[in-house]
């Protein structure tokens, strides 16, 4: 199954994509994670990408498309994959359609107020890649899974979150109409509790 998770930043794309990919035994492909790896390793791509990411802007389409096209050639993608945070522009979606066959697109719905609350409290663990919300943590500085030190992503600072939401509405939201027209879109409300959301996603994909 080749799937896409669509939705504003903080709608739960990462959380659900990781879980579903694990359950289906296929890779989760997060362009955000791939870019952050480049930034950490200080590659030429990473140095260029960081300028956009830190400002909450999108990294240029040609960089992203090249990176994804290469990733899909890896043998672990042969049985399917779950995209998380890609495509984010019409140009990316159109390019993708030339080298991949998408079976369904989960569109996670959440209002801007929910997003701002979620992202400003989000903490991530660089050691195990876990994502948490301060509201559910005993100690907001310690990863409950591996004991590593939790950090706030630079682009989760409030001003950058507002930029990312503007960018989402302007550049990514048009993909909803694009995939609806292709008959691939599955709308799922993601404002509620995580496990209930996950079940709704599986039902929308006829997997539960
Ligand atoms: P994410 O972790 O998916 O929220 O992505 C973090 C940041 O990486 C975004 O705010 C963008 O700057 C960049 N990014 C991730 N995926 C894409 C994409 N498909 N197209 C352009 N920029 C992206």
């Amino acid at each position: 199954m080749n799937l896409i998770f669509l939705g504003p930043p903080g709608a739960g794309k990462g959380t659900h994509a990781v879980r579903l990919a694990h359950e289906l035994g296929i890779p989760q492909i997060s362009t955000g994670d791939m870019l952050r790896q480049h930034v950490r390793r200080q590659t030429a791509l990473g140095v260029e990408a960081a300028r956009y990411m830190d400002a909450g802007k999108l990294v240029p389409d040609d960089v992203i498309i090249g990176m994804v096209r290469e990733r899909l050639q890896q043998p672990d993608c042969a049985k399917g994959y779950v995209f998380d945070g890609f495509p984010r522009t019409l140009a990316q979606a159109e390019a993708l359609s030339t080298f991949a066959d998408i079976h369904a697109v989960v569109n996670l719905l959440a209002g801007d107020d929910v997003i701002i609350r979620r992202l400003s409290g989000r903490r991530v663990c660089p050691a195990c890649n876990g994502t948490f919300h301060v509201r559910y943590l005993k100690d907001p500085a310690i990863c409950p899974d591996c004991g590593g030190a939790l950090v706030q992503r630079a682009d989760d600072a409030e001003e950058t979150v507002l930029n990312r939401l503007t960018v989402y509405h302007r550049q990514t939201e048009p993909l909803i109409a694009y995939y609806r027209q292709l008959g691939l879109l599955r709308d799922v409300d993601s404002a509620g509790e995580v496990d209930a959301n996950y079940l709704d996603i599986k039902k929308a994909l006829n997997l539960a």
Side-chain angles (χ1 to χ4, degrees):
M1 228 181 175
N2 304 336
L3 303 171
I4 291 172
F5 272 77
L6 207 61
K13 297 188 298 292
T15 305
H16 294 306
V18 167
R19 188 163 167 185
L20 188 63
H22 184 76
E23 200 174 318
L24 296 176
I26 56 180
Q28 168 245 10
I29 302 178
S30 156
T31 42
D33 283 348
M34 291 164 84
L35 291 168
R36 279 184 289 278
Q37 264 177 32
H38 276 282
V39 173
R40 268 198 296 275
R41 299 201 321 258
Q42 295 267 297
T43 66
L45 192 156
V47 172
E48 194 203 341
R51 289 192 293 138
Y52 297 92
M53 295 167 79
D54 290 346
K57 293 184 183 160
L58 293 185
V59 173
D61 286 332
D62 53 340
V63 174
I64 300 287
I65 293 164
M67 206 172 70
V68 169
R69 189 195 280 269
E70 211 177 284
R71 178 66 185 89
L72 289 191
Q73 280 161 10
Q74 303 296 314
D76 64 335
C77 294
K79 279 194 280 172
Y81 40 82
V82 182
F83 279 126
D84 158 14
F86 174 86
R88 260 177 155 103
T89 63
L90 275 175
Q92 291 178 18
E94 280 163 4
L96 178 67
S97 73
T98 67
F99 58 83
D101 196 13
I102 297 300
H103 302 128
V105 178
V106 176
N107 181 33
L108 294 179
L109 306 165
D112 286 5
D113 49 337
V114 174
I115 297 304
I116 292 167
R117 227 178 308 127
R118 278 194 195 157
L119 289 188
S120 56
R122 178 159 77 174
R123 298 292 179 272
V124 295
C125 176
C128 73
N129 216 19
T131 299
F132 310 92
H133 194 281
V134 284
R135 192 147 48 108
Y136 303 109
L137 290 167
K138 258 199 222 137
D139 182 336
I142 306 285
C143 175
D145 288 351
C146 77
L150 294 177
V151 296
Q152 183 174 39
R153 268 170 51 170
D155 60 353
D156 281 346
E158 190 165 338
E159 197 190 309
T160 314
V161 167
L162 296 179
N163 277 345
R164 289 163 71 201
L165 271 172
T166 306
V167 165
Y168 168 76
H169 289 306
R170 197 176 297 149
Q171 292 182 266
T172 308
E173 221 164 37
L175 294 184
I176 295 175
Y178 175 86
Y179 283 117
R180 201 185 298 285
Q181 203 180 24
L182 292 173
L184 296 175
L185 205 74
R186 312 276 188 272
D187 286 319
V188 179
D189 190 341
S190 80
E193 195 265 326
V194 181
D195 286 341
N197 288 166
Y198 184 64
L199 192 59
D200 287 342
I201 290 168
K202 286 181 63 177
K203 283 184 188 152
L205 293 170
N206 296 324
L207 294 170

